[in-house]
Amino acid sequence: MKSQNFKSYLLIIGGTALMCISLYFFTSPNGFVLGGVSGLGIILGRLTSMSLGTWLTLLNVLLLIVGWISLGSEVGIKTVFCTLLFSLGIDLLEILVPLDHPLTGQPFLELCCAVLITGVGQAMIFHADASSGGTDILALILRKHTHMNVGRALLFVDIIICTASFFAINVEAGLFSVLGIFGLTFLIDMALESFSSCKYFVIV
């Protein structure tokens, strides 16, 4: 049991680190809104003076409560840990590596990096029966009660948030965001299948 918990938290920490890197260095600077609370945080961060990390923390509180009630204490504890780690990671990156522009002048290249890193990170977290908070919690609830796979559940929940990027940022960012969400949907499912079949990622 201790070995299983240790492996679960290693996956959560690794997956969260990847998501922090993707969000801070690729997604946020380009205005890509790949759904979820992260996407909503990017939009609100552009419209207000509050930092992305602060918005992530505030927006996750309500959904954490919903997740705790619907998914049980074990998933709730892991998700609380993951959510706090994610928000802390973004806050630390904002302090240690100030960034106010994209890393390159190639938005499609950075979108590919964002989708790849985010997809693997989210799949690692889902494989550990946790979520990074926000609308990931809603996706897990949908999977539990409807047997809908995680990628399609995320697509269903996040497409509305993505649409807002057309109005809050610009059309180019909105189009890239739509493309990124569809790519992320398939990548998460593929990564989850790979983890499930790999002995190094077996938890139960």
Side-chain angles (χ1 to χ4, degrees):
M1 182 63 68
K2 290 183 178 180
S3 175
Q4 293 173 358
N5 285 334
F6 179 72
K7 187 177 290 187
S8 293
Y9 279 96
L10 278 182
L11 284 172
I12 291 171
I13 292 171
T16 302
L18 289 177
M19 291 186 63
C20 286
I21 291 170
S22 176
L23 178 62
Y24 187 74
F25 289 105
F26 300 107
T27 308
S28 180
N30 289 282
F32 300 148
V33 177
L34 303 181
V37 166
S38 298
L40 189 56
I42 291 172
I43 291 174
L44 293 174
R46 294 291 184 99
L47 300 176
T48 69
S49 59
M50 292 176 60
S51 71
L52 175 60
T54 301
W55 275 117
L56 291 178
T57 302
L58 292 175
L59 293 171
N60 275 320
V61 171
L62 179 60
L63 287 171
L64 280 174
I65 296 173
V66 173
W68 188 282
I69 294 172
S70 301
L71 300 172
S73 60
E74 182 178 355
V75 173
I77 291 171
K78 290 179 180 179
T79 299
V80 169
F81 172 76
C82 184
T83 301
L84 294 176
L85 187 63
F86 187 42
S87 297
L88 178 62
I90 295 298
D91 282 331
L92 286 176
L93 286 173
E94 288 176 338
I95 294 171
L96 299 175
V97 192
L99 186 66
D100 57 4
H101 57 80
L103 292 178
T104 72
Q106 303 292 328
F108 183 73
L109 174 62
E110 297 202 24
L111 177 67
C112 292
C113 292
V115 169
L116 178 62
I117 298 172
T118 300
V120 173
Q122 283 190 336
M124 290 172 67
I125 293 169
F126 282 140
H127 188 65
D129 287 327
S131 86
S132 57
T135 53
D136 291 355
I137 296 174
L138 298 182
L140 288 175
I141 293 173
L142 283 174
R143 184 180 69 170
K144 178 179 179 180
H145 295 290
T146 68
H147 302 291
M148 185 185 299
N149 67 51
V150 174
R152 291 189 179 90
L154 279 173
L155 178 63
F156 176 78
V157 173
D158 293 343
I159 195 66
I160 297 175
I161 297 175
C162 174
T163 303
S165 65
F166 283 90
F167 306 97
I169 303 177
N170 56 53
V171 174
E172 181 180 359
L175 291 173
F176 274 121
S177 298
V178 171
L179 182 62
I181 280 186
F182 279 97
L184 194 58
T185 298
F186 294 105
L187 182 58
I188 290 173
D189 289 336
M190 290 174 59
L192 277 172
E193 291 178 4
S194 298
F195 292 159
S196 297
S197 62
C198 179
K199 65 179 181 179
Y200 298 106
F201 289 95
V202 173
I203 295 177
V204 295

